[in-house]
Amino acid sequence: KQEVTQIPAALSVPEGENLVLNCSFTDSAIYNLQWFRQDPGKGLTSLLLIQSSQREQTSGRLNASLDKSSGRSTLYIAASQPGDSATYLCAVPDQAGTALIFGKGTTLSVSS
Amino acid sequence: NAGVTQTPKFRILKIGQSMTLQCAQDMNHNYMYWYRQDPGMGLKLIYYSVGAGITDKGEVPNGYNVSRSTTEDFPLRLELAAPSQTSVYFCASSPSRTGGNQPQHFGDGTRLSIL
């Protein structure tokens, strides 16, 4: 059964730092991997979706990489800002391509 | 763009009561999902639908029912509410199956407490 793990559970950094969030999954036979952002009391916002055939995706200051063989993905945030403070979730589809299987998230706090 | 709209945003129920969580999307997506998120846990799929009239169980369906009479609406019904159903419920939609190339779009959630 696919399991998704995110480390660390929480991270605090000063404004301006570059940082990396980690996501690992146990079954490398994935269709894609998605990164979401969740603000307190809000729903999830899709940040990046990496297809299984891709190695990385970029959107602004965000870069997500995927290494299927090792079962890992990283979300790189450049020049962090207080507005980046949120919980970041990664998710992969289940074997049937029906549901998303989520990690528990990394809660990021960026101080000014 | 409204996207995915969930109502109500908050609700307190007594044990044994019933209620329906509403979800509507205006993106003409065929695929819709209900997840629950418990504190410190990842989201878990309750039910999903691949189109009007077609629904199926997810990982944690017990105590819930769904229907999908239109493309736009996907209500989730709780019968005989139990304290274990205290959670945040998220509805999501997507134009393609989860294994495709389109992300899921989420509503802001319904925060439900059963006392």
Side-chain angles (χ1 to χ4, degrees):
Chain A
K1 181 182 175 184
Q2 179 75 270
E3 292 183 4
V4 178
T5 303
Q6 292 186 247
I7 295 174
L11 182 63
S12 292
V13 300
E15 182 176 7
E17 273 205 8
N18 302 324
L19 58 99
V20 173
L21 307 181
N22 297 295
C23 173
S24 61
F25 44 95
T26 54
D27 185 349
S28 61
I30 60 172
Y31 298 100
N32 60 50
L33 184 141
Q34 301 180 42
W35 282 95
F36 293 88
R37 169 183 173 140
Q38 184 176 24
D39 292 290
K42 293 290 187 179
L44 282 66
T45 300
S46 178
L47 297 173
L48 292 164
L49 184 152
I50 312 176
Q51 296 279 47
S52 61
S53 59
Q54 297 174 316
R55 292 300 299 263
E56 65 178 70
Q57 279 280 11
T58 299
S59 176
R61 294 183 293 108
L62 304 180
N63 176 277
S65 67
L66 175 63
D67 184 344
K68 278 181 53 179
S69 61
S70 67
R72 295 180 184 275
S73 175
T74 61
L75 180 65
Y76 175 83
I77 302 177
S80 58
Q81 303 171 358
D84 294 330
S85 298
T87 296
Y88 292 81
L89 299 161
C90 73
V92 297
D94 63 11
Q95 246 187 357
T98 301
L100 282 174
I101 300 173
F102 285 85
K104 295 180 181 180
T106 294
T107 299
L108 173 65
S109 177
V110 182
S111 55
S112 56
Chain B
N1 289 337
V4 179
T5 302
Q6 292 184 239
T7 56
K9 295 190 184 303
F10 304 92
R11 185 72 183 268
I12 298 175
L13 281 183
K14 293 182 179 179
I15 295 172
Q17 286 185 321
S18 301
M19 78 164 293
T20 298
L21 283 66
Q22 301 291 345
C23 175
Q25 53 94 7
D26 63 357
M27 297 172 284
N28 201 34
H29 288 170
N30 283 326
Y31 294 77
M32 295 189 75
Y33 313 84
W34 275 106
Y35 293 91
R36 59 178 286 174
Q37 184 179 37
D38 298 319
M41 304 295 290
L43 282 76
K44 293 188 184 300
L45 184 69
I46 305 171
Y47 271 96
Y48 68 97
S49 170
V50 301
I54 306 170
T55 63
D56 207 347
K57 297 177 181 179
E59 182 180 358
V60 290
N62 291 344
Y64 308 95
N65 279 300
V66 294
S67 60
R68 183 99 181 269
S69 57
T70 67
T71 299
E72 295 78 19
D73 300 300
F74 190 39
L76 177 72
R77 179 135 182 104
L78 279 71
E79 305 280 3
L80 299 174
S84 61
Q85 294 178 304
T86 293
S87 189
V88 182
Y89 292 84
F90 289 102
C91 179
S93 72
S94 65
S96 62
R97 58 194 290 269
T98 301
N101 61 358
Q102 297 292 324
Q104 291 186 9
H105 299 257
F106 283 77
D108 282 345
T110 294
R111 282 146 188 83
L112 180 62
S113 293
I114 315 289
L115 303 176

